[in-house]
């Protein structure tokens, strides 16, 4: 087998016989994970309650929810199966901005982000039948001021109702509105893929106690 056709599953040797499951319906996460070359399938069949304790610090919410999603999918997991789950939150002014309820809510969120710096945190959790691991990654995003017309155009044409904070950095709003980021671009999209890949390269997951 030449190097060009060698599967990444062989490069990460311990995964070569694993069935890899992405427990997310996000098309952005599917796109990002596919970039690694790891073969995987999507499973969104398990419903997860995405509530969290009111006392939980906002910076820990994404990690908490990622672990909650992963645990729900990992119950009675068959041998040689790896589950990957993730959750992304946008934090502005010490508050979490989730997915907007409607277009008016999306416009309100974008108005709150315009001309300010906010933080995007993605939690990632992975599990097999014998081990698990998790981490969170934070990225700071600087938004330029946005006019009401720009916000209206974005919401009407891109309908970001399925996105935390009401925006996708890979879309028009990112091109014209994001002045700078400090941290991973892919983290803002929904999956800090370099850190995930590096963690998997380190070997089998720590044994779950």
């Amino acid at each position: 087998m030449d190097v060009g056709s060698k599967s990444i599953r062989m490069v990460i040797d311990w995964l070569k016989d694993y069935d890899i499951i992405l427990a997310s319906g996000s098309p952005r996460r599917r796109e990002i994970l596919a970039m690694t070359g790891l073969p995987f399938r999507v499973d969104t069949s398990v419903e997860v309650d995405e509530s969290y304790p009111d006392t939980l610090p906002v910076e820990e919410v994404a990690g908490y929810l990622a672990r909650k999603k992963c645990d729900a999918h990992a119950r009675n997991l068959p041998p040689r199966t790896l589950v990957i789950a993730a959750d992304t939150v946008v934090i502005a002014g010490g508050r979490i901005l989730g997915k907007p309820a409607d277009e008016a809510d999306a416009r309100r969120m974008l108005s709150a982000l315009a001309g300010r710096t906010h933080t995007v945190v993605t939690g990632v959790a992975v599990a097999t039948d014998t081990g698990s691991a998790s981490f969170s990654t934070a990225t700071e995003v600087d938004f330029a001021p946005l006019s009401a017309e720009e916000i209206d155009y974005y919401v009407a044409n891109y309908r970001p109702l399925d996105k935390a904070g009401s925006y996708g950095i890979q879309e028009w709003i990112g091109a014209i509105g994001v002045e700078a980021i400090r941290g991973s671009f892919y983290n803002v999209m929904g999956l800090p893929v370099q850190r995930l890949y590096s963690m998997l390269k380190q070997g089998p997951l720590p044994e779950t106690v």
Side-chain angles (χ1 to χ4, degrees):
M1 180 183 294
D2 62 73
V3 174
S5 63
K6 181 179 289 187
S7 169
I8 289 296
R9 202 190 293 245
M10 296 295 292
V11 175
I12 305 179
D13 185 68
W14 73 275
L15 281 179
K16 63 185 178 183
D17 296 322
Y18 273 74
D19 177 24
I20 302 173
I21 298 172
L22 175 63
S24 174
S26 165
R28 277 80 58 186
R29 292 196 182 109
R30 290 201 299 269
E31 176 186 349
I32 297 168
L33 186 58
M35 294 170 66
T36 66
L38 285 167
F40 67 93
R41 60 186 176 92
V42 173
D43 183 354
T44 58
S45 62
V46 179
E47 292 189 11
V48 181
D49 172 18
E50 296 191 22
S51 62
Y52 53 87
D54 293 338
T55 56
L56 193 66
V58 291
E59 297 82 4
E60 297 179 15
V61 168
Y64 175 89
L65 292 177
R67 290 189 295 274
K68 196 173 184 180
K69 293 176 181 179
C70 190
D71 289 347
H73 280 80
R75 294 191 186 103
N76 302 315
L77 201 64
R80 295 196 173 277
T81 303
L82 175 80
V83 174
I84 301 170
D87 191 87
T88 300
V89 301
V90 172
I91 303 170
R95 297 176 58 248
I96 289 178
L97 301 183
K99 296 175 183 177
D102 51 32
E103 291 190 0
D105 196 28
R107 288 192 290 270
R108 180 188 61 79
M109 287 188 190
L110 289 169
S111 295
L113 296 177
R116 297 181 176 87
T117 298
H118 64 274
T119 303
V120 179
V121 180
T122 298
V124 177
V126 296
T128 65
D129 65 318
T130 59
S132 64
S134 64
F135 64 86
S136 292
T137 298
T139 301
E140 289 189 340
V141 182
D142 298 339
F143 253 110
L146 298 170
S147 68
E149 291 78 12
E150 288 168 332
I151 291 173
D152 287 344
Y153 172 83
Y154 175 66
V155 172
N157 286 276
Y158 291 87
R159 295 189 55 79
L161 303 185
D162 64 336
K163 299 177 177 66
S166 302
Y167 80 95
I169 194 171
Q170 74 280 8
E171 296 176 338
W172 179 83
I173 197 75
I176 66 99
V178 173
E179 292 183 328
I181 66 171
R182 287 171 292 283
S184 166
F185 173 86
Y186 292 110
N187 181 54
V188 184
M189 279 185 68
L191 188 67
V193 65
Q194 188 277 329
R195 188 166 175 186
L196 172 62
Y197 183 78
S198 294
M199 183 183 72
L200 294 175
K201 280 178 63 179
Q202 292 174 11
L205 305 179
E207 184 175 348
T208 302
V209 178

